[in-house]
Amino acid sequence: MKKILVAGATGYLGQFVVKASKAKGYWVRALGRSAEKLASVEVYADELFVGEVTDPDSLNGLCDGIDVVFSSVGITRQKDGLTYKDVDYQANSNLLTIAEASGVSKFMYVHVLNAEKLRHIAMIQAKQAFVDELRRSTLEDMVICPTGFFSDMEELLSMARSGRVYLFGDGSSRINPIHGADLAEFCVGAIDSQEQHFDVGGPEVFTYREIAELAFDVLDRPERISGVPKALVSAAVGAMRWLTPAKVFGPVEFMASVMTMDVIGEAHGQRRLADHFRNCARSIGSKPSEDHPLPV
Ligand SMILES: NC(=O)c1ccc[n+]([C@@H]2O[C@H](COP(=O)([O-])OP(=O)(O)OC[C@H]3O[C@@H](n4cnc5c(N)ncnc54)[C@H](OP(=O)(O)O)[C@@H]3O)[C@@H](O)[C@H]2O)c1
């Protein structure tokens, strides 16, 4: 039985990966920054490891006995003042160093689809720098490039709840978003594959306008959708670069770019966005459901 280390185990995708790895019969060690944060995966993991992935001294013994490292460590919503370089690059590089020194055979990393078209973005530069380092390492490497997660599509649901959805561009760009559980099952199913690269999306392709319409439909509210012209988006993003802190600018720059291009990966999974939105709409104010391990 292979032993898997899940780094990013407290995140949206990582929690599903811990669960899916256990369901497949793997032995699982889950890494997180505190025992409190790891409590959400305690029931599925064989071992919990508390450590700061940005501090190599706190990671001694992390990869002992491990065959495969899976990492979904990265900044999605800035919480602690660190940069993409500190986390998406350096923290993953710290993991790679310890994995190599400990005799791990494979490193699986979650990147972003269309990275080659997004090289001007700081987050992608940091992630790509890590991918380049991983490719040069002595380990077997696998890079999984997903489309948007259902967790990100919830932003549109939340805008619909407050009355109006604003789209970057005219909303005609297409995406096949994927549920974290479907992506986790894909990742765990790929553990023994020799492929080094996967572009992964969900089962249904939508335009962003269709996702906004779906959000209003699920909430049973009148549709109010405004498209912000691409030229205005570019000008606003350009100004924000100088006027807003990196933690605000980074995600906006990323979203403005991905929402104005098609982001479509090979179709996997079965979970439907409409069902996810309905679950989110039902579970407001109640405990996180199986469908979404994290509070919305
Ligand atoms: N969301 C999307 O639509 C999407 C699409 C394509 C690719 N991706 C990529 O997929 C990966 C996983 O996404 P996700 O939605 O699961 O992200 P997430 O929920 O934000 O989880 C990220 C993980 O990284 C950890 N992390 C972040 N900053 C850290 C820091 N300074 N020190 C230690 N740990 C830190 C988090 O730990 P804490 O829980 O302690 O904060 C968490 O475990 C990311 O790299 C993301 O860029 C996401």
Side-chain angles (χ1 to χ4, degrees):
M1 177 182 37
K2 281 201 169 103
K3 293 193 167 186
I4 318 292
L5 169 75
V6 180
T10 52
Y12 172 71
L13 175 60
Q15 293 186 61
F16 285 118
V17 170
V18 171
K19 192 174 171 185
S21 302
K22 201 62 213 157
K24 267 267 187 185
Y26 293 114
W27 186 95
V28 184
R29 181 177 293 152
L31 170 66
R33 332 193 211 191
S34 69
E36 197 187 3
K37 285 194 165 203
L38 283 164
S40 58
V41 290
E42 197 170 9
V43 63
Y44 302 112
D46 294 281
E47 206 174 281
L48 303 178
F49 190 108
V50 176
E52 277 286 356
V53 78
T54 47
D55 172 14
D57 290 342
S58 72
L59 304 178
N60 288 332
L62 175 66
C63 290
D64 289 359
I66 292 294
D67 301 296
V68 177
V69 172
F70 171 91
S71 175
S72 54
V73 168
I75 295 176
T76 50
R77 279 174 190 76
Q78 181 60 267
K79 296 170 228 171
D80 40 28
L82 298 179
T83 64
Y84 294 117
K85 198 170 171 198
D86 296 329
V87 179
D88 293 73
Y89 169 68
Q90 190 59 54
N92 282 298
S93 176
N94 295 342
L95 284 173
L96 180 59
T97 302
I98 191 165
E100 279 189 295
S102 310
V104 167
S105 51
K106 183 168 193 158
F107 197 114
M108 299 169 71
Y109 175 64
V110 181
H111 195 13
V112 167
L113 197 92
N114 282 355
E116 64 291 347
K117 296 181 192 156
L118 298 166
R119 282 179 181 266
H120 56 290
I121 293 176
M123 179 210 288
I124 303 300
Q125 286 165 3
K127 284 180 179 298
Q128 189 59 46
F130 175 67
V131 168
D132 294 344
E133 190 168 300
L134 176 60
R135 296 276 194 234
R136 289 193 301 269
S137 78
T138 55
L139 300 192
E140 204 186 316
D141 58 272
M142 182 183 287
V143 177
I144 295 151
C145 300
T147 59
F149 300 170
F150 279 13
S151 54
D152 271 10
M153 301 304 120
E154 288 167 26
E155 293 291 339
L156 298 180
L157 185 65
S158 146
M159 280 194 268
R161 199 177 287 129
S162 46
R164 181 171 295 277
V165 172
Y166 293 93
L167 299 173
F168 292 133
D170 62 3
S172 64
S173 299
R174 297 174 311 140
I175 184 166
N176 60 335
I178 186 161
H179 192 295
D182 279 338
L183 180 57
E185 282 158 21
F186 174 85
C187 293
V188 172
I191 282 177
D192 289 324
S193 166
Q194 302 300 308
E195 294 289 325
Q196 289 180 295
H197 181 109
F198 291 101
D199 286 342
V200 187
E204 305 168 289
V205 176
F206 300 93
T207 63
Y208 280 99
R209 184 166 287 273
E210 286 167 343
I211 295 176
E213 288 164 0
L214 181 64
F216 283 113
D217 186 45
V218 163
L219 296 169
D220 199 17
R221 295 213 181 159
E223 267 173 34
R224 290 199 184 93
I225 302 171
S226 301
V228 184
K230 269 190 196 179
L232 193 58
V233 173
S234 304
V237 169
M240 282 180 77
R241 182 188 301 276
W242 309 110
L243 299 173
T244 54
K247 70 175 187 180
V248 177
F249 175 69
V252 171
E253 184 190 33
F254 178 67
M255 286 314 294
S257 299
V258 295
M259 282 181 80
T260 47
M261 65 169 63
D262 286 349
V263 182
I264 301 186
E266 194 175 300
H268 290 277
Q270 277 145 27
R271 291 166 177 90
R272 294 165 54 85
L273 188 60
D275 295 332
H276 181 72
F277 277 179
R278 274 185 213 107
N279 286 337
C280 290
R282 266 197 300 269
S283 66
I284 292 168
S286 60
K287 282 188 154 190
S289 68
E290 276 289 287
D291 190 49
H292 197 309
L294 297 170
V296 177

